[in-house]
């Protein structure tokens, strides 16, 4: 039974050396959590597996655990309490979806002591971490627990469609009743593993109103900074194109789901591990747990940052090692190597009457678009814009493109080389032409004899040379001038009208001052030459 005082945020108090939450000491709370979960999960294993029905989301099981024990419950040294389990079959399905076996779930939560974490936020909740770094137990308010109950059917549908998500993964919802006080708990995935040292930690909403870490927060050994701090300390985190696209696709899909549920005021929890700084410190990237043993890598499916973003999974499996713990590789603008761990948190805030009233009041005093509380559609758009432009950026692929000067010099070099080659070719061609012109002579003579050959021996009239004789000074091709015997008069007129014929680079020159007379007197000699 809930009381009116439960709607007010309860902050843990410190009595001596131990914290209390709703007048319950932290040690008693941790003991009750482990006893209650151990009993309910163990009792659930006896129930057969079946499909989840709509009524399963609204089932609440309750068991009383007295300090002296009973036939069904063990004895303990804590005050008497009643332990409630919400939607046990539905949450069992969620655990099966992420590959969590009942024995592993019990071992993580029950067999090892829980580690209490310091809460940096304003919710006043208590956080407990399991020793194997797998799960986080968080105390929630009554309205948040009721909202999660109403959210379960839609949450079930979303996980079926998309198990790779940055949204919180809920594994159980419980309530402890003791002395008229209700303490509600939710079991979730752990976003920031203790085995990797976080050099920077951020809680990002995409808003600017009062989004800077307080002085008290900055004095902590590992403070949690906010949006304005990130803009002051980083010039964006750079990913390769494929990783950036997968990350933004996942964020867009998750924000669409949150908007459909009318959820706002959520945050992106971002942890940054600087690999170069870790190597300079001379230590391992991981830090040992409270018991001195280093936790092993996370075994829950889709629990690491690399596995949570959209992709085929092969890259995530290759990069999920004991050293990286599934972090997403990234770089700074100074080319420092990073590992990024992230997840969306605090999604149990709906845009109801109280939140609408809070936004209206703040919008009167401050810029309405800069405050954290806003309608879900605008909140999602602002959140995505901030993440895609200010936080996450895509590295530009470097392509070789020669400069204008280089291209000009190459063109000039090519043109100059072609000019040199062409000049050499022209000179050689001119020399060959002179040699051929020097060895050639007029085709016709006054005595009617056709002479072919060297002018040094005019008394020799050689026979018709072979067209394939390589030693001939000139080569007469089949495309030369043919004399048509049937139209000799027309050909003579054409020959007389022209001054000079040049065949095959002027190897044979026909001088036409006397060509008409020569052909009239001796047609056979001309035909002998042209054939």
């Amino acid at each position: 039974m809930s009381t009116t005082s439960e709607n007010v945020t309860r902050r843990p108090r410190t009595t001596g050396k131990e914290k209390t939450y709703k007048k319950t000491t932290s040690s008693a709370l941790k003991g009750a959590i482990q006893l209650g979960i151990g009993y309910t999960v163990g009792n659930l294993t006896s129930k057969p597996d079946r499909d989840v029905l709509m009524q399963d989301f609204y089932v609440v099981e309750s068991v009383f655990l007295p300090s002296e024990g009973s036939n069904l419950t063990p004895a303990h040294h804590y005050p008497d309490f009643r332990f409630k389990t919400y939607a046990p079959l539905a949450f069992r399905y969620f655990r099966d979806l992420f590959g969590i076996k009942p024995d592993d779930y019990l071992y993580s939560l029950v067999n090892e002591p829980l580690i209490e974490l310091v809460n940096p936020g304003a919710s006043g909740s208590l956080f407990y971490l399991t020793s194997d770094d797998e799960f986080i137990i968080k105390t929630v308010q009554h309205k948040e627990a009721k909202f999660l109950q109403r959210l379960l059917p839609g949450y079930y549908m979303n996980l079926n469609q998309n198990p790779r998500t940055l949204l919180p993964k809920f594994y159980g919802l419980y309530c402890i009743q003791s002395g008229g006080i209700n303490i509600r708990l939710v079991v979730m995935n752990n976003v920031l593993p203790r085995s990797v040292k976080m050099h920077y930690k951020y809680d990002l909403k995409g808003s600017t109103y009062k989004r800077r870490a307080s002085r008290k927060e900055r004095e902590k050994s590992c403070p949690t900074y906010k949006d304005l701090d990130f803009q002051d300390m980083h010039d964006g985190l750079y990913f390769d194109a494929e990783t950036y696209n997968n990350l933004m696709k996942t964020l867009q899909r998750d924000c669409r789901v949150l908007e459909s549920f009318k959820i706002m005021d959520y945050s992106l929890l971002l942890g940054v591990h600087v690999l170069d700084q870790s190597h300079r410190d001379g230590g391992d990237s991981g830090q040992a747990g409270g018991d001195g043993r280093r936790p092993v890598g996370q075994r829950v499916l889709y629990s690491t940052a690399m596995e949570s973003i959209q992709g085929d999974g092969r890259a995530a499996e290759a990069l999920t090692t004991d050293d990286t713990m599934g972090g997403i590789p990234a770089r700074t603008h100074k080319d420092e190597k990073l590992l990024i761990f992230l997840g969306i948190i605090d999604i149990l805030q709906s845009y109801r009457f109280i939140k609408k009233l809070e936004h209206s009041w703040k919008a009167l005093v401050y810029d309405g678009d800069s405050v954290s509380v806003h309608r879900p559609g605008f909140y999602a758009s602002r959140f995505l814009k901030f993440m895609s432009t200010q936080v996450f950026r895509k590295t530009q692929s470097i392509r070789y493109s020669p400069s204008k000067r280089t291209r000009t010099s190459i063109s000039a070099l090519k043109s100059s080389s072609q000019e040199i080659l062409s000049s050499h070719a022209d000179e050689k061609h001119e020399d060959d032409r002179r040699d051929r012109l020097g060895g050639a002579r007029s085709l016709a003579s006054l005595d009617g004899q056709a002479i072919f050959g060297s002018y040094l021996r005019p008394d020799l009239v050689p026979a018709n040379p072979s067209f394939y004789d390589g030693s001939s000074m000139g080569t007469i091709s089949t495309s030369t001038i043919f004399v048509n015997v049937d139209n000799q008069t027309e050909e003579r007129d054409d020959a007389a009208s022209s001054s000079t014929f040049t065949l095959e680079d002027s190897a044979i020159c026909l001088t036409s001052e006397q060509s008409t007379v020569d052909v009239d007197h001796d047609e056979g000699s001309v035909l002998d030459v042209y054939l």
Side-chain angles (χ1 to χ4, degrees):
M1 179 178 178
S2 63
T3 61
T4 307
S5 61
E6 288 180 337
N7 295 329
V8 181
T9 301
R10 295 295 186 93
R11 292 186 177 276
R13 298 180 179 179
T14 303
T15 58
K17 295 183 179 180
E18 190 174 9
K19 290 183 179 181
T20 61
Y21 181 78
K22 293 185 177 181
K23 300 180 181 180
T24 304
T25 61
S26 181
S27 59
L29 184 57
K30 288 190 290 184
I33 290 172
Q34 291 184 317
L35 281 174
I37 291 178
Y39 174 82
T40 56
V41 174
N43 189 39
L44 190 62
T45 56
S46 60
K47 297 181 179 181
D49 293 338
R50 61 174 177 83
D51 295 336
V52 179
L53 306 176
M54 181 57 68
Q55 58 264 28
D56 292 332
F57 295 108
Y58 306 103
V59 173
V60 180
E61 292 183 355
S62 177
V63 60
F64 182 68
L65 288 89
S67 57
E68 65 274 9
S70 64
N71 296 332
L72 301 176
T73 62
H76 55 85
H77 55 276
Y78 307 112
D80 299 346
F81 67 94
R82 180 173 296 275
F83 195 83
K84 292 183 177 181
T85 305
Y86 296 89
L89 291 176
F91 280 108
R92 182 178 69 176
Y93 172 82
F94 295 152
R95 293 193 293 268
D96 292 341
L97 183 64
F98 292 105
I100 304 173
K101 299 179 180 179
D103 294 340
D104 295 335
Y105 188 67
L106 285 176
Y107 184 85
S108 297
L109 293 172
V110 178
N111 288 16
E112 297 290 336
L114 300 176
I115 302 170
E116 186 174 349
L117 301 179
V118 179
N119 174 32
S123 63
S125 301
L126 285 179
F127 290 85
Y128 298 107
L129 176 68
T130 58
S131 298
D132 58 0
D133 238 12
E134 292 284 357
F135 308 105
I136 278 191
I137 302 173
K138 176 188 176 182
T139 60
V140 295
Q141 300 178 24
H142 172 61
K143 61 179 181 180
E144 293 176 328
K146 287 188 64 176
F147 182 70
L148 179 58
Q149 280 183 279
R150 289 188 282 111
L151 190 67
L152 284 180
Y155 182 77
Y156 168 85
M157 180 183 66
N158 179 61
L159 287 184
N160 272 328
Q161 295 176 351
N162 178 32
R164 296 183 183 273
T165 175
L166 291 173
L167 296 176
K169 301 172 180 65
F170 299 109
Y171 304 130
L173 178 61
Y174 309 100
C175 178
I176 298 175
Q177 290 181 336
S178 178
I181 297 176
N182 294 321
I183 301 177
R184 293 171 177 84
L185 313 157
V186 63
V187 181
M188 304 180 298
N189 62 307
N190 180 27
V191 176
L192 304 180
R194 289 183 308 122
S195 54
V196 180
K197 182 179 180 180
M198 300 299 162
H199 297 96
Y200 302 99
K201 191 165 55 173
Y202 298 96
D203 181 284
L204 306 175
K205 291 179 179 288
S207 61
T208 56
Y209 172 67
K210 289 187 177 181
R211 294 302 298 167
R212 197 180 296 275
S214 63
R215 182 179 301 177
K216 182 179 179 181
E217 180 66 28
R218 292 173 179 272
E219 293 174 355
K220 296 180 180 180
S221 59
C222 186
T224 301
Y225 298 103
K226 297 184 180 180
D227 302 67
L228 296 178
D229 300 317
F230 182 89
Q231 292 180 328
D232 295 339
M233 300 169 64
H234 294 280
D235 189 19
L237 306 175
Y238 291 84
F239 302 86
D240 61 84
E242 182 180 1
T243 303
Y244 176 85
N245 294 334
N246 290 336
L247 178 57
M248 295 314 303
K249 178 182 177 182
T250 305
L251 287 175
Q252 290 172 1
R253 196 168 187 173
D254 292 340
C255 287
R256 193 182 306 120
V257 172
L258 295 175
E259 182 181 354
S260 67
F261 293 146
K262 300 188 183 307
I263 296 175
M264 37 68 66
D265 207 24
Y266 45 87
S267 303
L268 182 74
L269 182 60
L270 178 67
V272 180
H273 173 75
V274 184
L275 287 171
D276 296 338
Q277 183 175 343
S278 179
H279 295 329
R280 286 194 300 267
D281 295 340
D284 196 0
S285 60
Q287 59 188 42
D291 53 1
R293 296 176 299 175
R294 177 176 175 174
V296 297
Q298 291 173 311
R299 296 184 300 270
V300 180
L301 296 178
Y302 316 118
S303 61
T304 65
M306 180 59 82
E307 290 176 332
S308 297
I309 64 177
Q310 300 295 328
D312 55 4
R314 288 176 292 182
E317 294 175 1
L319 292 172
T320 303
T321 62
D322 290 340
D323 293 331
T324 63
M325 293 295 292
I328 304 175
R331 291 181 181 270
T332 64
H333 67 286
K334 298 180 181 179
D335 205 31
E336 291 180 317
K337 295 181 180 180
L338 308 173
L339 286 178
I340 304 301
F341 301 84
L342 74 167
I344 298 176
I345 60 173
D346 297 337
I347 70 167
L348 301 179
Q349 297 287 338
S350 62
Y351 195 60
R352 302 175 65 184
F353 176 75
I354 298 299
K355 290 296 182 180
K356 292 179 181 179
L357 187 63
E358 180 182 352
H359 170 69
S360 300
W361 175 78
K362 290 182 178 179
L364 292 176
V365 182
Y366 307 97
D367 181 12
D369 292 344
S370 64
V371 298
S372 175
V373 180
H374 215 293
R375 64 182 185 275
F378 180 86
Y379 191 94
S381 300
R382 185 182 62 185
F383 182 85
L384 286 173
K385 181 179 179 181
F386 182 78
M387 298 305 163
S388 61
T389 59
Q390 301 295 326
V391 182
F392 307 126
R393 298 183 180 180
K394 184 192 304 184
T395 56
Q396 300 295 332
S397 58
I398 302 175
R399 297 180 180 179
Y400 173 74
S401 179
S403 62
K404 183 177 181 181
R405 179 178 299 178
T406 305
R407 292 196 299 266
T408 306
S409 60
I410 292 176
S411 302
L413 181 61
K414 290 175 64 177
S415 61
S416 61
S417 61
Q418 291 175 357
E419 290 177 359
I420 294 172
L421 292 175
S422 62
S423 63
H424 285 300
D426 292 342
E427 292 177 359
K428 184 177 180 181
H429 182 71
E430 188 67 24
D431 294 340
D432 294 340
R433 185 172 179 273
R434 291 194 187 100
D435 293 340
R436 292 172 181 175
L437 288 175
R441 193 175 178 186
S442 175
L443 180 64
S445 61
L446 293 176
D447 57 0
Q449 292 180 349
I451 300 173
F452 183 89
S454 174
Y455 69 95
L456 297 178
R457 299 294 303 275
D459 56 332
L460 296 179
V461 180
N464 293 335
S466 174
F467 291 159
Y468 303 100
D469 190 1
S471 61
S472 300
M473 294 299 295
T475 303
I476 302 176
S477 66
T478 58
S479 62
T480 56
I481 300 175
F482 292 90
V483 177
N484 191 339
V485 180
D486 295 333
N487 300 319
Q488 293 178 2
T489 306
E490 183 179 355
E491 293 298 332
R492 294 189 196 103
D493 296 338
D494 293 339
S497 63
S498 62
S499 59
T500 304
F501 292 90
T502 304
L503 303 180
E504 290 290 320
D505 291 336
S506 303
I508 301 175
C509 296
L510 303 179
T511 305
S512 61
E513 289 90 352
Q514 304 170 1
S515 59
T516 306
V517 179
D518 294 338
V519 175
D520 288 337
H521 291 285
D522 194 357
E523 292 181 357
S525 60
V526 177
L527 290 176
D528 288 340
V529 173
Y530 282 90
L531 290 176

